[in-house]
Amino acid sequence: MSSIVQGFTKSLAMTILSEIGDKTFFAAAILAMRHPRRLVLSGCLLSLTVMTILSALVGWAAPNLLSRTWTHHITTFLFLGFGLWSLKDALFEEGDTEELAEVEAKLDKDWKANNGATQNNKKVDDAAKKQQRSFLSQFFSPIFLQAFSITFFGEWGDKSQLATIGLAADENPFGVVLGGILGQALCTTAAVVGGKSLASQISEKIVALSGGILFIVFGIQSFLSPVES
């Protein structure tokens, strides 16, 4: 039980500090300003849940492919590396709003390309169709799929995904999944409810500094802890 709690706690703290101010956080905030929040939230949450489970499965399988000693050392290296990476971003990156502006510009470009001149003509039709749509058709609407795909591919290969893999290789995978999903749910809900106003007030430097310190603490703890046989 203690291993589940430890994995849960580490995963929750790591996920929150990794995801606040992340590109997918900003994307969820901006999408929620333009589309129904429940569709954006459900699309983002499903995507992040799938990503967390997949990452934990990879981490859980790693000790079966490599020795427990190797996976332990790789996890330690990942935590220390991500910690230094986050500290570098906090100390040397300029401008807290650059990432928000970058995400907003990309979404604006996609928005104009997808809507164009037909946007005004569809308003009346969309209002009428909303009354007739079944729950399933709304759930898998283009808005839901857009939120899902943007979040999924935005997280793929991100340091939070790699850190989840490393954490699941060294801690209880079930606790890591629970903590990761809860952390993702809290961050995404805050982004969707708070919108751009909340996203623009977040200091990326402070978040990156806090995350970097947390990763280094995890790395030191992993380095000092014995390898479980």
Side-chain angles (χ1 to χ4, degrees):
M1 185 66 182
S2 60
S3 63
I4 295 179
V5 173
Q6 182 170 307
F8 172 85
T9 305
K10 283 187 174 183
S11 181
L12 178 62
M14 179 199 71
T15 301
I16 290 176
L17 289 177
S18 296
E19 292 303 318
I20 292 181
D22 189 59
K23 283 186 178 181
T24 52
F25 181 90
F26 292 139
I30 296 170
L31 285 172
M33 296 175 60
R34 302 172 177 175
H35 304 295
R37 287 179 175 178
R38 62 185 179 82
L39 291 178
V40 174
L41 181 60
S42 58
C44 292
L45 283 181
L46 180 60
S47 176
L48 292 168
T49 299
V50 171
M51 181 65 71
T52 301
I53 294 174
L54 288 176
S55 301
L57 285 174
V58 173
W60 171 77
N64 297 319
L65 302 175
L66 299 171
S67 68
R68 175 67 68 175
T69 301
W70 271 105
T71 56
H72 181 81
H73 292 331
I74 291 172
T75 300
T76 302
F77 175 79
L78 282 175
F79 283 146
L80 293 175
F82 288 148
L84 294 175
W85 182 5
S86 297
L87 290 179
K88 179 186 74 69
D89 289 344
L91 297 175
F92 299 108
E93 291 291 328
E94 296 182 0
D96 286 346
T97 59
E98 289 182 2
E99 196 162 21
L100 174 60
E102 179 186 342
V103 173
E104 188 171 18
K106 184 180 185 304
L107 290 176
D108 279 338
K109 183 179 179 180
D110 294 341
W111 174 263
K112 292 176 182 178
N114 292 334
N115 289 274
T118 62
Q119 183 177 0
N120 293 331
N121 296 332
K122 289 184 178 180
K123 285 184 178 179
V124 176
D125 292 339
D126 287 344
K129 287 179 180 178
K130 281 182 181 178
Q131 304 294 331
Q132 302 173 358
R133 284 180 185 168
S134 66
F135 174 77
L136 190 62
S137 64
Q138 288 187 48
F139 193 67
F140 290 101
S141 69
I143 298 169
F144 173 88
L145 295 176
Q146 182 186 24
F148 181 93
S149 60
I150 287 175
T151 304
F152 188 86
F153 291 110
E155 284 295 308
W156 191 264
D158 188 69
K159 65 181 177 183
S160 60
Q161 184 203 15
L162 298 177
T164 300
I165 293 174
L167 196 59
D170 214 36
E171 300 288 346
N172 185 287
F174 185 66
V176 171
V177 168
L178 291 179
I181 291 176
L182 178 58
Q184 299 283 13
L186 292 174
C187 292
T188 306
T189 301
V192 169
V193 174
K196 184 182 173 183
S197 59
L198 174 64
S200 61
Q201 293 175 15
I202 293 174
S203 172
E204 293 179 41
K205 290 183 181 296
I206 294 177
V207 173
L209 184 63
S210 302
I213 294 172
L214 183 69
F215 275 126
I216 289 177
V217 169
F218 285 173
I220 294 173
Q221 183 187 35
S222 179
F223 176 77
L224 295 176
S225 64
V227 180
E228 296 182 3
S229 57

